[in-house]
Amino acid sequence: MNNDQHYNPELSDAQCDECLDRYFEKVEIPDADTSGITLMTHMKVLQEGLMRSRRRWRLISLCSAAACMAVAFTVIVKTWRHDGRPESAGQYAEGSAAGYGYNEMTVPTGQRMTLVLPDGTRLIANSRSQVRYPSRFVGDTRNVWASGEVYFEVAKDVRKPFVVNMEGFNVQVYGTTFSISNYNPDEASVVLLEGSVAVTTDGEERVKMRPEHRLSIRDGAIDEMTNVNTSLYTSWTEGGLILENLTLGEIAPRLSTYYNVEIEIDPSIHNSRLYGCLDLKGDIEEVLNVLASIIPMEIEVLPDGNTFRLTQIRQ
């Protein structure tokens, strides 16, 4: 059969159908692998399901992370606004660390903590003190906030003054060593060991201090500046308290603050004088027993467990 005979466009529809029937009768069509098709179909469906699950978990993870960040931000804002400081976040960050986080260190009762700030400034915070500082200093000033009793060795930077903000006043320096105390904001003080500082009150009083001087601030106003033996006010950084001609009545308030207790003193021994150095590394009972070995007195712990009464031993 030649090609013209094989393909004849003039064949009728019935003849074409007859030819196709004869062809399919002779051709063997292999059985379809239905099991393989079914398996591939299941795999395709499973893959699409996993892809949908991944997308769904990514969305959940992103939403959870965003929610955690929102909660953390809310907690930070509430913490900053709960302590009586200015309400505006800008006032905290002004000239210091806008856009960066803040850290806070709180010292447990009867302990001291040492900290090095991002600029290299070293500080020692006394018992029950708090220091708040930025994770990074930016802007024209290096601002920190402090309460309690803190000793500073400020890293020198003449371009960026270091400012310690406290309730009622602030201390500005470029690089120096000093100590502040404001457990009671109505009776705060600044002791300068070396360098120079400028103290400014909220009432806009301003005083420049010289080394080996102590500035007293009462009720938010500058009271007096006197020449002092600075070691009397910084010996706590070494875990001791120098008793250079101090009376028991003068020592008791400092022990009360350090150990967070109440100390009542019999008037008959209130003015008893002490010398030497008192070790503050023990608990309040140990410290009072040391004092009792110098001044004959009886130590009574009142029922509240937090008040100590010192009375003269009658002979």
Side-chain angles (χ1 to χ4, degrees):
M1 180 181 296
N2 57 32
N3 291 337
D4 291 337
Q5 292 174 325
H6 178 71
Y7 175 73
N8 187 355
E10 296 181 359
L11 292 174
S12 65
D13 292 340
Q15 291 175 317
C16 287
D17 291 339
E18 183 181 355
C19 288
L20 287 174
D21 290 339
R22 286 199 302 268
Y23 173 76
F24 282 115
E25 287 176 356
K26 295 180 180 181
V27 175
E28 294 184 1
I29 300 176
D31 294 333
D33 184 8
T34 56
S35 61
I37 294 173
T38 302
L39 178 61
M40 292 182 66
T41 302
H42 282 307
M43 291 293 290
K44 184 65 175 178
V45 170
L46 179 61
Q47 182 183 24
E48 292 178 353
L50 288 173
M51 292 298 292
R52 286 195 298 271
S53 296
R54 287 196 191 100
R55 288 193 293 269
R56 192 160 52 243
W57 277 108
R58 286 195 193 103
L59 179 61
I60 292 173
S61 298
L62 288 172
C63 292
S64 299
C68 290
M69 290 176 65
V71 170
F73 179 77
T74 303
V75 171
I76 290 172
V77 171
K78 287 185 178 178
T79 300
W80 279 83
R81 294 185 178 180
H82 184 68
D83 60 1
R85 297 186 185 278
E87 289 279 270
S88 169
Q91 288 178 275
Y92 291 106
E94 182 179 354
S96 180
Y100 295 92
Y102 283 81
N103 304 302
E104 183 174 285
M105 179 178 73
T106 301
V107 185
T109 298
Q111 298 185 32
R112 297 170 307 283
M113 296 180 71
T114 300
L115 175 69
V116 178
L117 299 179
D119 65 337
T121 293
R122 176 176 176 267
L123 65 85
I124 304 174
N126 206 355
S127 170
R128 300 172 55 227
S129 297
Q130 289 187 328
V131 179
R132 185 177 286 117
Y133 60 97
S135 57
R136 177 182 174 187
F137 288 115
V138 296
D140 298 330
T141 58
R142 296 171 286 167
N143 278 290
V144 300
W145 290 263
S147 64
E149 188 167 29
V150 187
Y151 168 90
F152 290 89
E153 294 176 353
V154 179
K156 188 173 183 179
D157 187 343
V158 296
R159 297 170 302 174
K160 290 186 178 183
F162 188 93
V163 181
V164 182
N165 299 276
M166 288 153 288
E167 187 173 343
F169 68 102
N170 68 62
V171 180
Q172 179 174 316
V173 301
Y174 290 94
T176 188
T177 304
F178 65 100
S179 179
I180 62 98
S181 178
N182 72 330
Y183 284 110
N184 181 357
D186 295 334
E187 298 180 0
S189 67
V190 180
V191 176
L192 180 61
L193 283 72
E194 58 183 51
S196 63
V197 302
V199 178
T200 306
T201 68
D202 288 354
E204 298 185 353
E205 293 180 285
R206 183 179 174 87
V207 172
K208 288 187 177 180
M209 295 181 61
R210 294 174 295 170
E212 300 185 353
H213 278 74
R214 178 177 184 266
L215 180 69
S216 298
I217 301 171
R218 291 184 180 275
D219 300 321
I222 292 173
D223 184 29
E224 63 176 352
M225 185 162 60
T226 55
N227 190 285
V228 297
N229 177 358
T230 57
S231 62
L232 297 177
Y233 300 93
T234 59
S235 58
W236 61 266
T237 62
E238 302 293 336
L241 177 61
I242 294 179
L243 311 176
E244 185 179 298
N245 197 29
L246 295 178
T247 67
L248 183 60
E250 292 171 323
I251 295 169
R254 299 185 68 173
L255 296 179
S256 295
T257 298
Y258 189 81
Y259 289 104
N260 194 25
V261 297
E262 296 293 329
I263 300 178
E264 298 178 358
I265 305 175
D266 187 329
S268 61
I269 57 175
H270 190 276
N271 293 323
S272 299
R273 296 196 172 274
L274 295 156
Y275 299 84
C277 184
L278 189 62
D279 190 344
L280 299 180
K281 295 174 185 176
D283 57 29
I284 183 61
E285 289 87 352
E286 293 178 44
V287 172
L288 291 178
N289 284 329
V290 170
L291 294 178
S293 68
I294 303 172
I295 301 173
M297 62 182 179
E298 182 178 340
I299 304 169
E300 178 186 2
V301 182
L302 299 189
D304 64 6
N306 197 57
T307 302
F308 295 81
R309 180 176 294 161
L310 311 182
T311 56
Q312 184 179 25
I313 296 178
R314 305 296 178 182
Q315 303 197 0

